Amino acid sequence: MDHLLTEQQLEVKHVIREFAEKEIRPTVAERDEKSQFPTEIIKQIADLGFMGVNTPEELGGAGMDTVTYAIVIEELSRVDPSVGVIVSVNNSLVCYPIQKFGTPDQHARYLKPLAEGKLLGAFCLTEPGVGSDAAGLTTSAVKDGDDYILTGEKAFITNGLMSDTYIIMARTDKAQKTKGISAFMVDATMPGFKRGPNEKKMGIRSSDCCMIILEECRVPAKNMLGKEGDGFKVAMTALDSGRIGIAAQAIGLAQGALEEAVKYSKIREQFGQAIAEFQATQFKLADMEMMTEAARLLNYSAARRKDSGQRFSHEAAMAKLYASDIVMKVAMEAVQIHGGNGYLKDFPVERMLRDAKVTEIYEGTSEIQRTIIARNLLNA
Ligand code: CAA
């Protein structure tokens, strides 16, 4: 299916698919086993220009549209969703809000090197006691001369160990909830900035994830992103874009699992014939293909709405919810088609099922996506 893609979008799809097959696939199992960050691969993706797909060219990015961005994350995640999420976080949760809310000085100091892949970025909203109710965050930011002093802990930070730059949401006004939060650009080198150890995760083990500890971390006031009190809006805007990225990650992973299932069903023989000959297998494959395509179309629709300049929170929530729902089903059926072999680490579908689960959790759980969709419907 061509999904009405442009010449440029088809070309990017081709380039990334070849790159992923040649440079990412050979090490995917080993990096999963060793929880090893794909440093060289991320450098190569930066050289291809895909650490800032939507960032305008004059600000260091590729200046491409959001469907192209979704294609990039899909194609990376078809082979390795760990690589997909590292690239998605840098693009959606870091470059996008800096582009939207940053000053020209912040664009020059942060956005350009981040989009060029000279710096890596992370996004810090969640805390040990604050997940879905993001506005309840307790990390504090207190003004001190020309600086703010940040104190608190941030949890589950993707790219946490490897990043140079962190967007950190902190409370500047205890009396207000969403309006009392501000966003700051924080460098790993700033005094009082510390990282916890790499978390031992179920899946996407080649991407890193850790706590960020702020012990009276001194951050210049000029590093505030947006105005004081804009932090919640900055975070929600970033997450709208991020959810298109995670939907693409889930779709790419579903595509990869489907392809493994098709391949295996043709070579595995039982009762004197390939299991692909059985209608029971064929019906599974047909449903897997249909769900993956439906999720892809929903995500491209959200991406096109973002590019039209309209609010796309509702569409991104639907795309992320549906894609993360179907990737669980597709990965589960891919394991089922592999039978006992699917339960072994010798076959990629075992890893794919582990990798799939997180898409229902991060960047807003499936329950939160349903809340967003229902609120939009009821308040329309
Ligand atoms: N864009 C712009 N503004 C938005 C917005 C959006 N998408 N969503 C809400 N806002 C604004 C609202 O308009 C409102 O503004 P006003 O007060 O001016 O009207 C304000 O923000 C408050 O909105 P709500 O009343 O809807 O806020 P809420 O407290 O009820 O929370 C929520 C809404 C949707 C539940 C939100 O808290 C949420 O998305 N929670 C999930 C958090 C999340 O996704 N965490 C993921 C962590 S990051 C991660 O996983 C990254 C990683 O490392 C991979």
Side-chain angles (χ1 to χ4, degrees):
M1 279 188 213
D2 70 2
H3 307 101
L4 303 176
L5 298 184
T6 63
E7 286 288 312
Q8 189 190 48
Q9 289 162 348
L10 288 168
E11 172 64 18
V12 168
K13 189 178 171 81
H14 176 71
V15 167
I16 292 283
R17 182 162 292 206
E18 288 217 321
F19 170 79
E21 288 297 338
K22 186 160 169 270
E23 307 294 342
I24 302 181
R25 194 175 297 281
T27 55
V28 60
E30 189 186 348
R31 282 184 289 99
D32 168 66
E33 186 67 28
K34 296 184 177 162
S35 287
Q36 196 175 68
F37 191 85
T39 308
E40 279 311 309
I41 290 170
I42 297 301
K43 273 191 201 145
Q44 288 172 295
I45 294 171
D47 290 343
L48 288 171
F50 294 131
M51 293 309 277
V53 179
N54 297 150
T55 309
E57 284 177 85
E58 64 276 18
L59 295 175
M64 292 175 176
D65 58 76
T66 308
V67 172
T68 308
Y69 167 59
I71 290 169
V72 169
I73 303 299
E74 257 181 67
E75 290 299 327
L76 294 173
S77 305
R78 174 179 161 271
V79 176
D80 188 351
S82 288
V83 173
V85 75
I86 296 163
V87 176
S88 175
V89 165
N90 195 74
N91 272 273
S92 286
L93 295 186
V94 183
C95 288
Y96 180 63
I98 304 176
Q99 184 192 326
K100 268 205 94 134
F101 295 95
T103 60
D105 167 61
Q106 291 168 346
H107 285 167
R109 282 192 296 131
Y110 288 110
L111 180 54
K112 198 158 186 292
L114 282 161
E116 287 170 349
K118 291 181 180 148
L119 297 178
L120 186 68
F123 174 85
C124 307
L125 177 65
T126 304
E127 298 180 353
V130 173
S132 293
D133 183 12
L137 64 83
T138 60
T139 294
S140 64
V142 177
K143 189 94 195 286
D144 182 38
D146 289 340
D147 301 326
Y148 280 84
I149 308 294
L150 271 58
T151 306
E153 288 179 344
K154 294 290 176 181
F156 300 115
I157 306 308
T158 302
N159 295 350
L161 283 167
M162 303 305 290
S163 285
D164 309 277
T165 299
Y166 298 74
I167 298 183
I168 296 188
M169 265 50 73
R171 187 163 298 288
T172 38
D173 184 350
K174 284 193 180 144
Q176 302 200 62
K177 204 174 176 192
T178 53
K179 300 273 190 298
I181 296 169
S182 303
F184 297 87
M185 310 286 318
V186 179
D187 300 340
T189 51
M190 286 175 178
F193 180 97
K194 291 193 177 145
R195 302 170 169 114
N198 198 9
E199 302 288 2
K200 296 186 176 80
K201 305 194 296 307
M202 172 195 280
I204 56 160
R205 288 163 49 85
S206 177
S207 69
D208 73 338
C209 174
C210 70
M211 294 253 296
I212 297 296
I213 302 116
L214 302 155
E215 289 178 348
E216 300 192 348
C217 179
R218 187 169 282 276
V219 180
K222 67 176 181 181
N223 276 21
M224 183 181 277
L225 191 55
K227 297 193 298 295
E228 191 166 298
D230 276 354
F232 193 72
K233 205 164 100 188
V234 171
M236 293 299 117
T237 303
L239 283 167
D240 282 346
S241 166
R243 287 164 187 159
I244 292 177
I246 299 306
Q249 184 200 25
I251 294 158
L253 177 50
Q255 182 66 43
L258 169 61
E259 289 173 21
E260 291 298 331
V262 168
K263 196 166 71 188
Y264 186 81
S265 71
K266 287 188 194 167
I267 55 167
R268 173 72 176 174
E269 290 190 0
Q270 288 296 287
F271 302 102
Q273 59 182 10
I275 60 169
E277 300 296 324
F278 292 105
Q279 202 175 47
T281 308
Q282 292 174 2
F283 281 8
K284 282 191 201 303
L285 293 174
D287 286 349
M288 290 156 79
E289 162 79 350
M290 176 191 66
M291 289 188 286
T292 307
E293 276 300 318
R296 185 175 280 127
L297 289 170
L298 202 51
N299 201 34
Y300 289 173
S301 165
R304 288 184 175 120
R305 189 166 167 100
K306 174 170 175 272
D307 286 339
S308 76
Q310 300 174 77
R311 177 101 178 241
F312 60 96
S313 316
H314 185 71
E315 289 74 13
M318 287 199 293
K320 198 258 185 191
L321 171 61
Y322 186 68
S324 57
D325 182 33
I326 67 98
V327 72
M328 286 301 293
K329 295 191 174 111
V330 172
M332 193 77 90
E333 288 292 44
V335 169
Q336 190 67 16
I337 287 170
H338 280 69
N341 281 333
Y343 206 64
L344 302 182
K345 284 189 183 293
D346 304 353
F347 288 80
V349 290
E350 180 272 341
R351 171 178 47 77
M352 289 168 158
L353 180 56
R354 286 188 286 106
D355 285 352
K357 180 60 195 170
V358 74
T359 65
E360 292 187 308
I361 299 172
Y362 60 18
E363 303 208 17
T365 60
S366 295
E367 292 75 11
I368 287 296
Q369 307 311 326
R370 288 191 169 88
T371 301
I372 293 169
I373 297 161
R375 278 190 190 176
N376 280 328
L377 268 180
L378 296 169
N379 296 333

